[in-house]
Structure formats: C-alpha cells, structure tokens
Amino acid sequence: MADPLLQISKLDAYYNDFQALYQLDMSLGEGEVLAIIGSNGAGKTTLMRSISGLISNNSSQMRYRGNPIGALRADQVAALGIALVPEGRQLFPSLSVEENLLIGGRLGRKGPWSLRTVFNLFPILKERRTLPSTSLSGGQQQMVAIGRALMSNPDLILFDEISLGLAPVIIKSIYDALPNIVGEGISAMIVEQDISKAISVSNRVYCLQEGRISLEGASKSISREEISHAYFGIT
Amino acid sequence: MRVIRTSKAAKISIMLATLVLLVLILAPWWAGRADIRLMGELFLYLALASLWNLMAGYAGLVSVGQQAYVGFGGYMLFALTIFAGFPPVVAIVGAGALGALVSVPVALLIFRLRGAYFAIGTWVIAEVFRLSFAQVSALGGGSGSSLPVKIVRSMADGRSEREALSYWLALGIAFCVIAAVYMFLRSRQGLALTAIRDNELAASSLGIDIWRTKFVVYVVASALTAMVGALIFLQKLRISPDAAFSVNDWTAFVIFIVVIGGIGTIEGPIIGTLIFFALRETLADLGTVYLMVLGVVAILIMLRAPKGLWGLVRARFDLELFPLGYRVISDKVKKE
Amino acid sequence: MDWVNVIVQGTLLGGLYALFAAGLSLIFGVMRLVNIAHGDLIIFAAYLGLTVVMTTGLHPILALVFVIPAMALIGYALQVGILNHTLGDDLLPPLLVTFGLSVIIQNSLLEIYTADPQKMDAGVLETASFSLGDLQLGVLPVLTFGIAVVVIASLQWLFYRTALGRAFRAVSDDQDIAQLMGLNRRHIFGLAMALALAVTAIAGILLGIRTSFDPSVGGGRLIFGFEAVIIGGLGNLWGTLAGGVILGVAQTIGAKIDPGWQILAGHVAFLLVLAIRPQGLFPRISG
C-alpha cells in the first residue's frame, strides 16, 4: 500500500477534561472509505473533532499526506482539504440554504463541486435555496450539511452520524447519494450507529470501544459475531 | 477520613486577624492624624471592593455603576442630618435602609439586561442618580453643599475625637462587610451562589432560584454600599454630584483593586486594597500615568492570571485564609 | 410649530447617536462583545481628527480620509492583539479588559491633550442652514443624519449581501462550525472590530465638529450608543437608528422643558422602554 492519506498514531485526545481516546492508531488510504462504529461514548465524535482540528492535539499524532496536522486550527485543516459533516447538521441558522452552501465553498479549492453540481445531487435544495436553513426538514438539512462540506471540494470528507434522527426513507436516499460523492475520488470516514449501513458503504471498518480500537478489518470479510463482540465488549 | 472546613492556616489567620484588629482599633492612640485619615479611607475602599467582589465575583452581577449607591448614601447622610435632624451615625444606618429601598425598583429594571449590558445599565442608573441630585437645589444642585458645622460638631467635641470616630466607623464597616460576605458565602444561599457562578444551567436544574439569589445580593450590596458612601462623605464633609457619582473614584478603582487582588476570593480585595494604596502613595505624583499603569496591570492580570495575585499565591501554596469549601483529610494511609 | 422643530432637531441628533451605536451593535452582533471603551474610542477618533486638522490644515470632513483607516487598523490590532484573548464563556474578562482600556485611553488623552475642551473648526459648515417651510435646518445636523442613514444602509448591505457579511453571520451563529468552513474566527473578529472602529471614526469627527469635547466625555457617548441599541432592539441595525432617533427626540423635548433635563429625559426614555419592552422596540436576536 502506498503512503496513507491520513495516518493517526498514538493519539491521546481529550473531551473537556476527560480523556476520550487512548493511543489510537488508524490509517486511511487514498480513495478509501472507512466506517467507524462503536457505542455512545466510545470516542467517535472526539475522533472526528480531533481530525478536523476542533480539538487540538500533539502535532505529530496526526499526519495528512505525510505532514503533521495534529496541532493545526480547524480553519487550517479545512484549507488542506478535510471537510466535516458535523453530528446534528449544525447549519448556520441566520444563513439561507444557498448561503450555507456558499460559505462551504469560500475556500475556493478546485474540484468538481459547485452550487450547480450540489443542486444536481440534491435537486430539492435548488427549490429551497432562498429559504432560511432552519425552515427545512431534518433530511433536507442533512443534504445542506453534506453539500456545504462538498462545496469545499475536499479530498477527505468526514461524516459524523449522518443518519441520526432521520426517517429511514431519508437515510436511504442519503446513502443512495453516497456513491456519487465518494465516486468522485474523495476519501471518506463515516461514523455511524447503523452497523449494516456502515459496512455496506465502506472498504474497511474500525470499531471503537472506550477510546480504544477493539476491532479492525475489511468490511466484506468481517462477521457479525466479531462486531457485536467488539461493539459491546462481550467476552 | 474526615471532612473539615478549617485548615491550620485558617486557624492561625483567625488569631492573627484578631490581633491585627485589636492593633487597628487602638490606632488613634498610636498613629498620626494623617495616617488615621489614610487608613480610614483604606477601610472604606476595602468595604467597597469586598462588596463589588461579592456581586461580580460570586453572583455574576458585574456592575460599573456602584457609584450610584456611594453617591446616594452620601446625599442621604446630608439630607437626613440637615433636614430630618438625625445624628450622623443614625443617618448612616438610615442611608443604608434607603439604599436598600431604592435598589429594589432599580434591580427590577436592570435585571432585564444580561451580562455586559447589565453592566452598562448600572452605569445609566448612576447617571440618572447624578443628574437627578444635580436638580435638587436644597442640596446645592450641581455645585453641591457642605455639611453644616453644627452637625459636624454634634459627632464629638474635638477634632481628633471626630477623626477617631470616623476612623472607627470605617474600620467597623470594613470588618462588618467582610464578615457579612464571609458568613453569607458559607450559608445555604452563599453555596447556591457559588453553584450559580460555576454553572448557571446546572444550578437552575437543582432548583436554585437564581433570580432571587442575585436579587438579594444586589439589594444587600447596595444597602451596604450606601452606608459606605455615607461614611465617605462624612469624612469629606462636602458633597457634589460629580464627586458623589464619580465612576473613576468609586467604580474604576474598586474594579482594579478586586481584579489585581483576585476576583472571586475573599482575600483578593484585601490584598488588592493594600497594593492599591501602596501604589497610590508612591506613584500619586504621576497623576494620569498612575491610572494608566493601574489599567495596564489590571488588563495583564485579567489576561495572564484571571484569579489575581491571591489566585497565584493560592495555587502555589494551597492556602486559604477564609475557608469556604470543605477539605477531605485522609487520616490513615491507604492500604496498597 | 415650536414642538415640530424640537422633534425634527431631536431626530437629526438621533443620527449622531445611531453612529455612536452602530459600532457597538455590530461587534455585539458578531462576537457578543460589549466594548466598555467604545465611547472613549469615539473621543479618541475625535482627537485623532483634531491632530490631522492641525497638522495638515485639512477640513475636518476630509480628515476622515486618514482617521477612518487609522481607526480601522487600530481596531484590528486591538482585537487580534488583546480582545480575542478575552473571548470565551466567561463574561468577566472582556468586560474588565475593555473597562481597563477605557481608563487607559481616557488618561492617555488627558496626558497628551490636557483636560481643556477642544473643538474642530469646520468653517461655514457649522453655521450654514436652510429653511424648509417654517423650519430652519442646520446643514451639519442634516448631513450627520444623512451620513448615519448611509452608514447603516451600507452595514446592512454588507451583512446580508456580501461574502464578508456571510462570514460575520456564520461566525456569530457558531464559531466552531464556522472554523470548519475555513474561517479563522480571530481574523473575522479583527475585521469586525476594524469595521466598527471605522464607523466610530465617522462618529468621532462629526461629534468633534458639532460640539466641544474633552477626554472625560467618552463614558457619556458609550451610554448614548448603548441606549440607542437597547431601545432599538439588539442586533437590528435599522432598529438602532430608530433607537437613536427616539433618544435624540426625548433629549430635545427634555431640554425644551428645562435645559437641565436634556440628558435625564433621554435616560428616562431608555428606562421606560426597558420597563415596558425589555427586548427593545424592534428586536431581532436575543442577547
């Protein structure tokens, strides 16, 4: 395997005063889709916030294209081409749908994604583009959040709990759109509670338990028993 | 294991404090006239600083308008002695009572403002007080008035007796304020206050009535501030709206004292007052530069050591002279 | 007719108060910062204008060419150098640091310019007037009001029609998520303070032409600006203009009854609004 796109080594990360990740090692290859699973409090969101720079770490604990990024601020990480679709959408309430997308694109990185292509991916957003983002349904808000991340034309996109709180039919339509996104040569890391969804779209799976990796393997070859063992820590 | 409140340092400090207090009470017999005046002023600032610290450091009520009550208290001293014929000492208590009374509607109004806007709101109130008293021609209007000689004489016969009385009153109110703040913070309400400071949301979910607690603190602090104000102008013997409601004299200095000494600690205002007066006595000739230096020091402390000088001392030596929290002492060594 | 005149003059005065308030409103909107030194910065801008006028002989209005960029630069430096370090969940640091700044600015001005009242000489602009029906209107107050309207309209346009305004609103909504969009909030806050002090520069120059000023009057300007913001409703720029006008009218009405009541009447109007409609007359966001 060539040099990984993202290499995490011995990452200790803290959420407020309490340690959420212990000596975590993880790697992500170019074009690869990783699924991160684990129960509540396993450290998944802390991992997402660490990678995206919202939590500051030791510089060398995280390397992106070989360069240390652990200590960079979130805006500097974003400029390198890492985008996060945060848990709970977190759109800007005082911005319209289109403005939310535009602010995602303000870094001006080159790539396939623009207002036009995002609107092609989620046509409903084009109709609603002048509305305040808060007036949309949960599923549509999630589309805006994904579109906003894509607008920066990232090389790596992080999805934190994209199906949380959404109706199954909406989840399905969002997952149906995923191949169109990662198919454009973007690597992805997907944090997901729904294990079968996570496995179906990913190449490899990491399972986190209490801040440590309890299982790692190719999505195709991993068994349900192994997962429930790693997930719940049943021995 | 035992849970205790006092510490060895606290016990020693109580003994020391008693000793210091005795020495201070006897000051009119051992100190010169100028020193007595200076120390009297120091105690009044100490009282103001402790009260401001109770509001800002514990109740989250950051006021830049406490001069409203200093000036109000001063004017009430003049009004009650001149028009109602009260003896000065009674008038001071009366000023406190009236201060509490007037602070109730004020609180109802400005408690509608949050955070920093509350601060500026308190300033507006102080301005309203200043402009209103400037309209009262019976008290000298904009140019102010002096306390009639007859009333001054009624306090005590000789000048030195009067000055000693002023001094004891100042010492007394500083002692009472610190004791009251200390007792209050150790009470149920005080603990609630600390809970609010640490986490307003959690405190409200525990059923602590935040609004009421803050309201009580505001009214009590206003009453005591008005009494201090009455004492200040009993020392000065002359009052005018600009002097009575000066934001620099009664709020800026007080804020600097608390910030430098350590906000949110009982010891902070004491340390801060001592430093403030030490600086003032050495740098006073510099005038405006002195104020600029104070401003710079306060900003640096706020940025680098937000708990002030006492915070630095406490972090280094684990010292607490006025123990508020509980300590857990382990009697026996844990078994391995 | 007399009373119509009073109300018109008050309205025009309100333009100046809206200019005091606009910067305050803007930085509160973007970063929830209340700058206690705002009034002293207005006076600082007036002194800066005075210095430019004295050294170059320019007309005070033309001095804005220097004073606006200078104040903007100072604003950016102040924000990035000091104020950014005070922002967080705790209310005390920004409040006490800006309070310290206020004292430092005031005393620096005292040290440099002394306590003597100063005034900028704007020549005929100060006395020129024209009549509108029975009303006699001063050119300077009308110009001030016009500038206030233009400034508020420009800020409104910038906030809702430009990429920078989008960034301001995004950072105001959620600093973390805005950071994920590649927005460095420290820089954005610096730009917001630069913009606020650019407006302050205009306010300071117009104040210095209209009346005499000395280093101690900053606090009063902060209070007027603050009252305009609260009367108008937090976070609403046009509301701030309306708040300034209400304050100005209340003051001129008070002055008409008794000159000693001018300022007091303004405060009373503010307290009345606070008592009856604490969210302001035209609120947009909650504080």
Side-chain angles (χ1 to χ4, degrees):
Chain A
M1 201 168 75
D3 264 357
L5 183 66
L6 180 72
Q7 176 75 53
I8 296 170
S9 37
K10 299 200 188 318
L11 175 67
D12 285 316
Y14 297 81
Y15 192 78
N16 295 332
D17 287 336
F18 121 101
Q19 185 162 5
L21 296 176
Y22 300 86
Q23 298 281 302
L24 202 78
D25 290 310
M26 195 175 270
S27 70
L28 170 89
E30 191 102 43
E32 196 176 25
V33 178
L34 281 188
I36 314 282
I37 59 176
S39 57
N40 277 332
K44 295 168 300 181
T45 292
T46 304
L47 177 63
M48 293 292 111
R49 292 176 68 90
S50 291
I51 297 172
S52 60
L54 289 176
I55 297 175
S56 186
N57 297 294
N58 280 341
S59 184
S60 59
Q61 288 177 335
M62 224 171 311
R63 289 179 177 276
Y64 180 72
R65 299 188 190 286
N67 301 313
I69 61 161
L72 295 184
R73 290 192 311 264
D75 57 301
Q76 295 168 320
V77 173
L80 292 174
I82 299 179
L84 170 68
V85 181
E87 182 182 347
R89 280 87 71 179
Q90 309 225 29
L91 301 181
F92 297 110
S94 60
L95 272 59
S96 70
V97 168
E98 184 170 291
E99 285 180 319
N100 264 284
L101 295 174
L102 284 173
I103 205 147
R106 65 169 294 287
L107 279 168
R109 289 170 50 87
K110 297 248 178 310
W113 294 104
S114 63
L115 268 187
R116 191 176 54 78
T117 48
V118 169
F119 284 150
N120 284 342
L121 183 68
F122 301 120
I124 185 75
L125 298 187
K126 189 170 185 181
E127 284 171 37
R128 309 264 152 114
R129 66 177 191 274
T130 57
L131 296 179
S133 55
T134 45
S135 68
L136 268 54
S137 72
Q140 290 163 356
Q141 288 192 24
Q142 189 59 275
M143 291 171 191
V144 178
I146 293 171
R148 184 178 66 177
L150 290 175
M151 286 291 288
S152 68
N153 280 302
D155 298 327
L156 167 59
I157 184 165
L158 313 170
F159 296 98
D160 195 0
E161 308 274 18
I162 37 175
S163 53
L164 200 69
L166 298 181
V169 56
I170 307 288
I171 298 172
K172 184 177 177 309
S173 72
I174 283 175
Y175 270 92
D176 286 346
L178 264 190
N180 298 319
I181 296 168
V182 291
E184 311 269 346
I186 303 181
S187 311
M189 206 180 260
I190 300 175
V191 166
E192 184 55 90
Q193 300 265 359
D194 184 336
I195 297 168
S196 49
K197 276 272 179 317
I199 287 176
S200 69
V201 295
S202 61
N203 307 114
R204 273 193 306 137
V205 185
Y206 282 97
C207 185
L208 291 188
Q209 197 197 342
E210 291 175 1
R212 296 180 173 85
I213 292 170
S214 57
L215 178 70
E216 183 217 331
S219 304
K220 286 196 186 73
S221 60
I222 218 153
S223 76
R224 291 297 250 172
E225 290 70 33
E226 284 178 292
I227 289 175
S228 49
H229 178 170
Y231 201 99
F232 301 109
I234 304 161
T235 46
Chain B
M1 242 167 40
R2 289 177 298 150
V3 179
I4 57 166
R5 207 163 206 177
T6 59
S7 64
K8 203 169 190 179
K11 279 179 193 157
I12 295 173
S13 75
I14 286 175
M15 282 160 58
L16 267 177
T18 316
L19 198 68
V20 169
L21 195 62
L22 265 173
V23 172
L24 288 176
I25 290 172
L26 298 176
W29 286 280
W30 57 260
R33 179 172 267 172
D35 293 332
I36 290 287
R37 273 194 79 85
L38 183 69
M39 280 157 61
E41 199 191 348
L42 186 148
F43 292 132
L44 293 173
Y45 265 105
L46 176 56
L48 288 180
S50 296
L51 288 167
W52 189 83
N53 181 45
L54 173 69
M55 290 175 60
Y58 289 95
L61 295 167
V62 186
S63 165
V64 293
Q66 282 312 89
Q67 69 273 21
Y69 296 102
V70 173
F72 180 83
Y75 267 104
M76 286 307 107
L77 170 81
F78 278 53
L80 291 175
T81 50
I82 296 172
F83 304 129
F86 283 22
V89 178
V90 178
I92 291 167
V93 178
L98 290 170
L101 204 65
V102 79
S103 74
V104 170
V106 168
L108 292 177
L109 262 184
I110 57 172
F111 273 37
R112 291 159 175 243
L113 295 165
R114 304 227 137 259
Y117 279 110
F118 170 84
I120 308 182
T122 61
W123 198 349
V124 173
I125 296 292
E127 283 298 288
V128 170
F129 279 28
R130 180 175 69 85
L131 294 165
S132 303
F133 278 105
Q135 294 293 313
V136 181
S137 48
L139 286 166
S143 50
S145 60
S146 298
L147 204 59
V149 181
K150 186 170 60 114
I151 293 168
V152 178
R153 291 248 165 89
S154 76
M155 278 175 68
D157 288 334
R159 188 172 155 187
S160 57
E161 282 82 2
R162 276 200 299 277
E163 284 182 346
L165 181 61
S166 270
Y167 167 81
W168 283 322
L169 287 170
L171 175 63
I173 197 148
F175 177 80
C176 289
V177 163
I178 292 175
V181 169
Y182 182 51
M183 298 310 246
F184 181 72
L185 289 176
R186 282 180 74 140
S187 71
R188 266 185 71 82
Q189 287 241 320
L191 289 176
L193 212 55
T194 317
I196 296 170
R197 181 185 60 175
D198 294 344
N199 189 338
E200 185 151 331
L201 201 69
S204 69
S205 66
L206 286 171
I208 295 168
D209 188 343
I210 293 171
W211 194 94
R212 228 189 84 190
T213 312
K214 288 187 170 186
F215 179 78
V216 169
V217 169
Y218 185 80
V219 171
V220 170
S222 302
L224 290 169
T225 303
M227 288 175 71
V228 177
L231 273 171
I232 287 171
F233 288 95
L234 185 62
Q235 273 202 347
K236 292 193 185 293
L237 302 177
R238 202 189 140 65
I239 198 164
S240 69
D242 288 343
F245 298 98
S246 160
V247 64
N248 267 341
D249 290 350
W250 314 128
T251 295
F253 289 159
V254 166
I255 292 181
F256 289 151
I257 285 173
V258 178
V259 168
I260 291 171
I263 194 163
T265 64
I266 295 183
E267 296 88 347
I270 302 175
I271 311 249
T273 308
L274 292 175
I275 291 173
F276 174 79
F277 274 84
L279 278 177
R280 199 181 75 171
E281 293 308 301
T282 44
L283 296 177
D285 300 342
L286 296 174
T288 54
V289 174
Y290 165 63
L291 273 167
M292 286 156 67
V293 169
L294 268 185
V296 170
V297 170
I299 289 178
L300 282 177
I301 288 196
M302 210 61 227
L303 292 176
R304 300 274 167 224
K307 286 281 161 208
L309 294 180
W310 181 251
L312 290 180
V313 172
R314 191 167 58 174
R316 209 184 151 101
F317 302 106
D318 187 30
L319 206 62
E320 207 167 12
L321 301 184
F322 293 88
L324 288 174
Y326 293 89
R327 287 162 179 265
V328 176
I329 308 280
S330 155
D331 285 337
K332 37 192 176 196
V333 183
K334 266 191 186 163
K335 278 175 226 155
E336 288 299 310
Chain C
M1 200 61 240
D2 235 13
W3 286 101
V4 175
N5 185 45
V6 165
I7 289 171
V8 170
Q9 301 302 340
T11 305
L12 296 181
L13 177 62
L16 185 64
Y17 293 165
L19 284 173
F20 292 165
L24 210 55
S25 186
L26 190 142
I27 53 168
F28 180 79
V30 175
M31 54 188 132
R32 298 292 179 273
L33 175 80
V34 177
N35 182 3
I36 303 264
H38 188 75
D40 301 290
L41 285 162
I42 293 173
I43 304 305
F44 178 79
Y47 275 108
L48 212 55
L50 184 73
T51 307
V52 171
V53 169
M54 303 250 266
T55 48
T56 63
L58 279 173
H59 189 275
I61 296 285
L62 289 177
L64 280 172
V65 177
F66 294 97
V67 180
I68 290 178
M71 288 302 287
L73 272 178
I74 290 170
Y76 188 87
L78 192 65
Q79 186 66 39
V80 172
I82 299 176
L83 298 178
N84 272 340
H85 301 286
T86 68
L87 296 176
D89 295 332
D90 192 357
L91 181 85
L92 272 172
L95 204 62
L96 298 184
V97 167
T98 56
F99 189 77
L101 275 176
S102 152
V103 171
I104 292 172
I105 294 169
Q106 216 182 95
N107 286 284
S108 310
L109 291 176
L110 259 178
E111 190 70 15
I112 302 168
Y113 296 99
T114 75
D116 298 338
Q118 302 278 357
K119 201 176 161 311
M120 271 181 270
D121 182 8
V124 286
L125 182 60
E126 290 178 32
T127 50
S129 66
F130 61 95
S131 40
L132 193 76
D134 291 343
L135 288 173
Q136 202 55 26
L137 296 179
V139 171
L140 180 64
V142 172
L143 180 71
T144 304
F145 190 82
I147 290 175
V149 172
V150 170
V151 164
I152 299 265
S154 313
L155 287 177
Q156 191 79 13
W157 172 80
L158 185 135
F159 246 71
Y160 293 99
R161 293 281 177 273
T162 67
L164 182 61
R166 249 189 340 255
F168 282 156
R169 281 179 291 145
V171 172
S172 165
D173 280 348
D174 188 323
Q175 298 185 15
D176 275 356
I177 304 298
Q179 198 95 354
L180 289 175
M181 304 298 122
L183 292 164
N184 180 3
R185 63 165 182 243
R186 299 187 173 279
H187 175 64
I188 299 292
F189 287 165
L191 293 179
M193 188 55 92
L195 191 62
L197 289 204
V199 176
T200 299
I202 300 171
I205 298 285
L206 289 171
L207 167 95
I209 297 173
R210 188 187 172 102
T211 56
S212 63
F213 53 94
D214 67 75
S216 71
V217 298
R221 306 318 105 174
L222 166 74
I223 289 178
F224 294 159
F226 158 77
E227 289 177 332
V229 170
I230 300 285
I231 292 173
L234 282 178
N236 182 348
L237 283 165
W238 287 116
T240 298
L241 179 62
V245 167
I246 290 168
L247 184 65
V249 170
Q251 286 192 358
T252 46
I253 290 177
K256 172 87 181 149
I257 297 167
D258 179 332
W261 289 359
Q262 180 184 347
I263 311 294
L264 198 54
H267 293 329
V268 169
F270 160 74
L271 293 175
L272 273 178
V273 171
L274 196 58
I276 298 161
R277 246 181 101 83
Q279 71 275 39
L281 300 177
F282 317 99
R284 188 181 204 103
I285 48 166
S286 63

